[in-house]
Amino acid sequence: MAKAYVLIVNESGTDDSVISNLRNIPSVTSAYGTYGSFDLLTTLESNNEEEIQNDICFKIRQISKIRSTVTLLVDKKQGISKINTIEQNVLDTHMDFAYMIIRCLQSDKSIIIKKLDKIAEVIEADILIGNYEIICKIASPTYKEISKIISKKIRKINEIKSTITIFLTRKQEFTKNQMPRHEYLTTS
């Protein structure tokens, strides 16, 4: 499965409109509003890598309200995925999230992935191709707790050279693979 993340900067006040357009792109599996330098973080997945590239170049970048994008292509090497769809739906209801983009030496990627895997709050991590080496997703009950995890656990990993943290906002988001809320709340 091919996967990519696209960080988007759009015109002020147009997040909802851009997210609405992203919903119609086949390989876009999720989009989240963010706090910080980027306005949106989008995940794309497909069995066909070419579909992702086409969707980025000819669909996402053509949305009129988008000013710029940064594409993070995921390497097919083993990453971390600690949760299934039902668990993700529960987390989406009760947790806050952040993504962290990590820079390190190429030779340290697998060491960092192993260390991230030992941090319970890191629920996903992918090795990247290009200017950045790793992206990971962090879940915790509050943003304050996420900040503690970042400063006391992740940034203590010696092999990490620098990081960019992207906090997600719950006000603007969608996930295509999400179960209807009533299905996972009533399952026994």
Side-chain angles (χ1 to χ4, degrees):
M1 173 83 61
K3 184 175 180 181
Y5 297 90
V6 178
L7 305 171
I8 297 172
V9 175
N10 49 264
E11 293 177 13
S12 181
T14 63
D15 298 12
D16 291 333
S17 171
V18 172
I19 287 174
S20 179
N21 282 291
L22 292 169
R23 270 184 208 276
N24 301 320
I25 298 172
S27 65
V28 173
T29 57
S30 64
Y32 300 95
T34 68
Y35 299 111
S37 300
F38 302 100
D39 298 307
L40 302 170
L41 183 143
T42 303
T43 306
L44 295 86
E45 294 183 62
S46 174
N47 290 325
N48 181 342
E49 195 170 316
E50 193 173 309
E51 178 185 14
I52 288 178
Q53 292 170 357
N54 286 333
D55 284 352
I56 292 168
C57 292
F58 302 113
K59 293 181 181 170
I60 292 176
R61 290 186 181 150
Q62 300 306 313
I63 297 172
S64 63
K65 306 294 185 196
I66 292 178
R67 289 186 178 169
S68 65
T69 63
V70 174
T71 301
L72 306 172
L73 297 174
V74 173
D75 193 331
K76 292 180 181 173
K77 293 179 184 171
Q78 186 66 33
I80 300 169
S81 183
K82 295 180 181 176
I83 56 174
N84 63 37
T85 304
I86 294 171
E87 292 165 332
Q88 182 63 53
N89 288 328
V90 173
L91 290 176
D92 286 346
T93 303
H94 300 287
M95 297 290 212
D96 287 323
F97 299 95
Y99 278 86
M100 178 175 268
I101 301 168
I102 297 171
R103 297 199 80 174
C104 64
L105 296 174
Q106 291 290 327
S107 58
D108 290 336
K109 286 181 183 182
S110 60
I111 294 166
I112 294 170
I113 288 286
K114 287 177 185 174
K115 290 180 179 183
L116 290 172
D117 196 20
K118 293 178 182 177
I119 300 171
E121 298 87 356
V122 174
I123 58 172
E124 291 178 25
D126 288 302
I127 294 175
L128 302 172
I129 300 168
N131 292 330
Y132 301 98
E133 285 69 44
I134 296 171
I135 186 168
C136 67
K137 186 176 183 181
I138 306 153
S140 193
T142 66
Y143 292 119
K144 185 175 181 179
E145 288 299 313
I146 289 173
S147 295
K148 287 181 187 176
I149 293 158
I150 290 168
S151 63
K152 296 186 184 302
K153 294 181 182 181
I154 297 174
R155 288 196 178 138
K156 298 289 184 187
I157 298 173
N158 292 331
E159 293 81 4
I160 292 177
K161 300 297 177 203
S162 65
T163 62
I164 299 170
T165 303
I166 303 165
F167 288 92
L168 303 186
T169 174
R170 295 179 153 294
K171 294 178 182 166
Q172 298 158 319
E173 64 180 72
F174 83 87
T175 303
K176 287 183 182 173
N177 298 339
Q178 199 166 38
M179 288 174 64
R181 186 177 170 158
H182 68 277
E183 284 184 31
Y184 66 88
L185 290 177
T186 58
T187 305
S188 51

